Amino acid sequence: MSQPDPDPLLSRPRRLRRGSVLRDLVSETRLDASRLVMPHFVLPDERTVEPIPSMPGISRTGREALLRTVASDLELGLRSVLLFGLAGDGRKDPTGSLARDTESAVPQAVAALEREFGADLLVITDVCLCATTDHGHCGVLDGGDVANDATLPLLAEMAVIHAEAGADMVAPSDMMDGRVAAIRAALDARGLEQTGLLSYSVKYASAYYGPFRDAADCAPGEGDRKTYQMDVRNAREAEREALLDEAEGADMLMVKPALAYLDIIRRVREVTRLPVAAYNVSGEYSAVKAAAERGWLDEPAVVRENLLAMARAGADVILTYHAREALAGAWL
Ligand code: PBG
Ligand code: ZN
């Protein structure tokens, strides 16, 4: 494999770049709509559509608007969604009770999507407490600490509610230890063994989540997420987290963010047999949007290059806010 060409002086790599038909024929990475997942910020009402200033092109939507958007996305071939539930006017509290309310945004939206689109749409739900806790952390607090084991049953209950509403997969994003096993056990105990589990296995304490925290109003009031999300300096630890989640019963593993972590996507791809997903997060999206608005970057070309980079690094699945525009404009 790593032998040089027999006679380097006669070698002409450019011969394979002559014309787009030949380039397409020999391209090593392919990306199409079936690998993309579109994230949605869901409000617990019917009609609201609230554009998110720091994420041009993305809105918080009530159920009716969500159904409309998803219907038109399906026509583009975009068949998978990730739902984030927002508190809306609902009351936040220390344990994020809203997340365990069957009348809240996500279970209601999941049921509506299920009724409307059935098996044509794959519905994945984000499972975490931070959008519904008054302190904004991803788990419950004990003193100043985010308490690991006390958080697990709350996440498990939230996942069960999403699954019972009809979610195809649940995706815990909290980074508590042992949550994959806890959620899997709770699902199985309720007869929900068909519900899949996509773990945010390798989630870094990243500054790239800024626009999302505006969108979901989930920035921690005090402190940061560094006692549960991963240290930006670590790569070996990513393999450890990935293998733990595989052992605990995850069906798919995610690396997040994507672009500053292409090395991690590659490493995780090499240590697991599960599908690997990459989350092209809010800050990565907004940075491209902002530069494109100023005319500093060619948005279609940069988005294509970024998404291809994630696929080339080893991502089987890509979650991206660019999905709709990339497909509508045939950017890939
Ligand atoms: C919450 C959550 C976050 C994201 C997904 N789920 C924010 C955070 O952990 O602070 C980030 C997504 C994005 O930036 O697009 N657990
Ligand atoms: Zn969270």
Side-chain angles (χ1 to χ4, degrees), residues 126-131 136-139 173-174 203 218 225 228-229:
D126 186 272
V127 172
C128 195
L129 303 188
C130 56
H137 277 290
C138 300
S173 67
D174 54 284
K203 179 174 177 181
C218 71
R225 303 210 202 284
Y228 41 108
Q229 298 180 347

Side-chain angles (χ1 to χ4, degrees), residues 129-154:
L129 303 188
C130 56
T132 53
T133 51
D134 51 13
H135 45 73
H137 277 290
C138 300
V140 292
L141 299 183
D142 182 7
D145 249 17
V146 174
N148 196 87
D149 293 10
T151 301
L152 300 182
L154 306 182

Side-chain angles (χ1 to χ4, degrees), residues 241-258:
E241 285 282 8
L243 293 174
L244 274 170
D245 284 0
E246 178 167 355
E248 287 180 36
D251 300 293
M252 204 189 307
L253 306 179
M254 192 201 290
V255 174
K256 178 185 175 191

Side-chain angles (χ1 to χ4, degrees), residues 39 41 55 82 84 126-131 136-138 171-175 200 203-213 216 218-220 225 228-229 254 256-257 279-285 319 321:
F41 297 96
M55 299 180 72
L82 172 68
F84 291 102
D126 186 272
V127 172
C128 195
L129 303 188
C130 56
H137 277 290
C138 300
S173 67
D174 54 284
M175 287 297 280
Y200 286 69
K203 179 174 177 181
Y204 285 90
S206 170
Y208 280 103
Y209 308 148
F212 177 97
R213 290 181 188 172
C218 71
R225 303 210 202 284
Y228 41 108
Q229 298 180 347
M254 192 201 290
K256 178 185 175 191
Y279 198 140
N280 180 207
V281 300
S282 58
E284 297 176 322
Y285 171 83
L319 299 97
Y321 304 98

